[in-house]
Amino acid sequence: MIDHTVLLGGAEYSLECLVKGMDSTRYRYTVVLPGPGPFADRLNALGVSVDYMRVDSWRWWVRTIRQRLKFFATIPYQVANLIRWIKYLKKKKPDIIHFNINRLVEPVIAAKILGIPSVMHFRDIPSRIDQKFILGMKGFYWLMGMADIWIANSKSTYDDINCNFDRKTIEVPNGVDLSLYSSRSIKHHKDEDSKITVAMIALLVPWKNHIGLLKVISLVTNQYKNIVFLIVGEGDKGYSNKLQEQITEYGIEEYVKLTGYVDNIPNLLSSVDILIHTTEREPFGRVFIEAMSACKPVVAFDSGGAAEIVVNGETGILVPKGEIGKMAEEISSLINNPDMREQMGKAGRTRVEKYYTIDKHCQKVAEIYNDLL
C-alpha cells in the first residue's frame, strides 16, 4: 500500500482501518510512506510493516509558471526516482499494489512496467483540486489508467472520474470500526456553566474552508456565549497562522481552540455536542461517519460526500453550499434543542451500522483483490 504523505487525514485513517480490518491470515500489508511521522508511528504500533520511499507527486500539480518550469528542471530526478521504485518493487515482489490516493505517479508507472496488478483508490474529486496537472487532465487520467482497477470512495468521486474517463471503477464507501465509539445516547444534563462544544475535524489546508467556519463562529457567538468551537487538525503552517490572525480580527479568541493534531478522535468526539464541516466539496468526509458512530449530529454543506452520508433532518442538517448565515442558524437551532441532538445522534449511529462499517468496506476490497489475483 502506497501513500503520499506523513500527515494524518481521512485517507490515512481509512488506510489504517483497512489494514486492521482485513483478514490477516490471507493479506499481509507493507505500507510505503515518504518518511517517518505520526502516521508511520500509528502503523508501527499496530505491527504493520512500514517502508520509506521518496514520493514526488506534488511536482506534477502546479499553480504558477515557476512551478511548471521547476517540474521540467527536475525531470532527471523524477526519472531517477522511477528507477528507485522499479528496484524497490522488484525486491519486494508484492502480489498487489494498492495506491491509497490518486496523486501518485512514479510508483504507478513502475507497477505498470513490472506488470504487477494494482488498484488506484480515488479519495479525492479530481475536478475539485485547485492545482493543474502538468500534463493536463487527459494526461492525468491516462497515467492513473495504468492501474488495473479504480476504487471511488463515494458517488461524487465516482461520477466525477467516470464522466471524464471510461474505466472500470467500483464505488467502495469508507468504513469505521464501531467498537471504538460509544453507542450511548448523547443526551446528558449539563451544568448551567458548562459549554456546548462544536468541533470541525479536518486537515488545516485552504480547501477545507476553515475561513468559512470562522464566519459561522462569529455569527453564532453574537447570540450565544456559553459555547466553544474546536478546530482539530494539523497541516499548512502558513494557513494555520492566517486562521489565527482571522480569529483575532473577528474577536472570537475566547470561543475558539486550535487543538492541532489529536491522536484519539473517538475519545475527542465523546466530549463533542455537534460536528460542523464547512468544506464545500468534500470527496467523502470520513469524519461524518465517525461523528455519527459517536451519536453526534452533523451540520455540513449539501454537496459531495456529505450529501450522500448525512440524511437531512434525520442524522444532521445539510445547508445549501456556501450559505454561511444559514449554517449559523442551524447550529443555533441545535444548541437550543438537546432532544433533537440526541435523536439525530441515534439515527446517525443506526445509519453507520447499516452502510458504513469496516466489515462491509473490507469485504468489498477483498472482492477486488480476489478479482485481481
Side-chain angles (χ1 to χ4, degrees), residues 26 117 162 196 248 257 264 343 351 359 366:
R26 179 159 175 77
N162 265 37
I196 294 291
T248 302
K257 291 182 180 179
N264 193 328
Q343 184 179 354
R351 183 165 172 78
D359 289 342

Side-chain angles (χ1 to χ4, degrees), residues 45-70:
L46 293 172
V48 177
S49 175
V50 179
D51 288 344
Y52 301 124
M53 283 286 291
R54 180 174 171 178
V55 178
D56 286 335
S57 60
W58 61 272
R59 296 184 189 276
W60 294 78
W61 297 90
V62 297
R63 287 192 181 94
T64 64
I65 293 176
R66 181 180 178 183
Q67 288 174 333
R68 288 181 179 272
L69 294 174
K70 189 173 183 180

Side-chain angles (χ1 to χ4, degrees), residues 240-272:
S240 178
N241 292 338
K242 182 179 179 181
L243 289 180
Q244 194 63 65
E245 292 172 3
Q246 291 274 310
I247 288 168
T248 302
E249 287 181 17
Y250 279 120
I252 53 176
E253 302 99 314
E254 64 181 296
Y255 306 108
V256 182
K257 291 182 180 179
L258 286 163
T259 69
Y261 167 67
V262 172
D263 180 65
N264 193 328
I265 295 299
N267 185 57
L268 172 78
L269 284 169
S270 69
S271 64
V272 167

Side-chain angles (χ1 to χ4, degrees), residues 23 29 39 50 65 81 84 90 183 200 213 258:
D23 181 358
Y29 281 91
F39 188 26
V50 179
I65 293 176
N81 199 38
R84 282 193 290 269
K90 272 187 174 181
S183 61
M200 176 163 172
L213 172 66
L258 286 163

Side-chain angles (χ1 to χ4, degrees), residues 20-288:
K20 283 172 62 178
M22 293 293 279
D23 181 358
S24 61
T25 65
R26 179 159 175 77
Y27 304 103
R28 183 178 68 249
Y29 281 91
T30 295
V31 179
V32 188
L33 302 175
F39 188 26
D41 294 342
R42 288 180 69 96
L43 292 170
N44 284 324
L46 293 172
V48 177
S49 175
V50 179
D51 288 344
Y52 301 124
M53 283 286 291
R54 180 174 171 178
V55 178
D56 286 335
S57 60
W58 61 272
R59 296 184 189 276
W60 294 78
W61 297 90
V62 297
R63 287 192 181 94
T64 64
I65 293 176
R66 181 180 178 183
Q67 288 174 333
R68 288 181 179 272
L69 294 174
K70 189 173 183 180
F71 170 83
F72 290 109
T74 58
I75 284 178
Y77 298 99
Q78 295 173 65
V79 171
N81 199 38
L82 172 60
I83 293 170
R84 282 193 290 269
W85 274 104
I86 292 172
K87 290 180 177 179
Y88 170 78
L89 294 175
K90 272 187 174 181
K91 181 179 178 181
K92 295 296 289 191
K93 296 181 175 144
D95 296 297
I96 293 174
I97 298 175
H98 189 150
F99 302 106
N100 192 52
I101 192 76
N102 49 286
R103 292 292 189 105
L104 303 163
V105 176
E106 289 95 337
V108 177
I109 298 172
K112 184 69 173 179
I113 289 172
L114 296 173
I116 303 171
S118 62
V119 180
M120 177 60 63
H121 210 133
F122 277 78
R123 297 191 186 275
D124 206 346
I125 299 174
S127 65
R128 179 214 62 77
I129 301 172
D130 56 358
Q131 302 128 306
K132 302 296 183 184
F133 194 71
I134 191 74
L135 303 180
M137 291 311 291
K138 286 186 178 180
F140 165 76
Y141 282 112
W142 178 78
L143 279 169
M144 298 301 102
M146 291 184 179
D148 297 282
I149 293 178
W150 289 356
I151 294 177
N153 66 351
S154 68
K155 187 177 184 300
S156 295
T157 302
Y158 180 95
D159 290 344
D160 192 71
I161 60 182
N162 265 37
C163 75
N164 285 286
F165 199 87
D166 185 16
R167 181 75 180 178
K168 182 178 181 181
T169 308
I170 302 170
E171 184 183 339
V172 183
N174 290 327
V176 67
D177 182 355
L178 282 166
S179 69
L180 300 176
Y181 299 86
S182 172
S183 61
R184 289 177 299 174
S185 167
I186 66 167
K187 189 174 184 179
H188 49 277
H189 300 286
K190 284 180 170 284
D191 296 332
E192 189 174 329
D193 295 330
S194 65
K195 295 183 177 181
I196 294 291
T197 303
V198 183
M200 176 163 172
I201 305 171
L203 282 173
L204 293 185
V205 289
W207 73 272
K208 292 291 186 178
N209 191 29
H210 294 83
I211 299 298
L213 172 66
L214 298 186
K215 293 177 182 178
V216 171
I217 295 172
S218 178
L219 291 171
V220 172
T221 54
N222 279 337
Q223 185 177 2
Y224 298 96
K225 306 302 180 184
N226 204 26
I227 189 168
V228 60
F229 285 84
L230 304 180
I231 299 178
V232 182
E234 62 177 344
D236 188 304
K237 188 65 177 176
Y239 183 61
S240 178
N241 292 338
K242 182 179 179 181
L243 289 180
Q244 194 63 65
E245 292 172 3
Q246 291 274 310
I247 288 168
T248 302
E249 287 181 17
Y250 279 120
I252 53 176
E253 302 99 314
E254 64 181 296
Y255 306 108
V256 182
K257 291 182 180 179
L258 286 163
T259 69
Y261 167 67
V262 172
D263 180 65
N264 193 328
I265 295 299
N267 185 57
L268 172 78
L269 284 169
S270 69
S271 64
V272 167
D273 295 288
I274 303 166
L275 181 92
I276 184 174
H277 214 277
T278 51
T279 306
E280 295 191 353
R281 202 177 178 195
E282 186 67 46
F284 180 84
R286 178 174 185 81
V287 71
F288 301 144

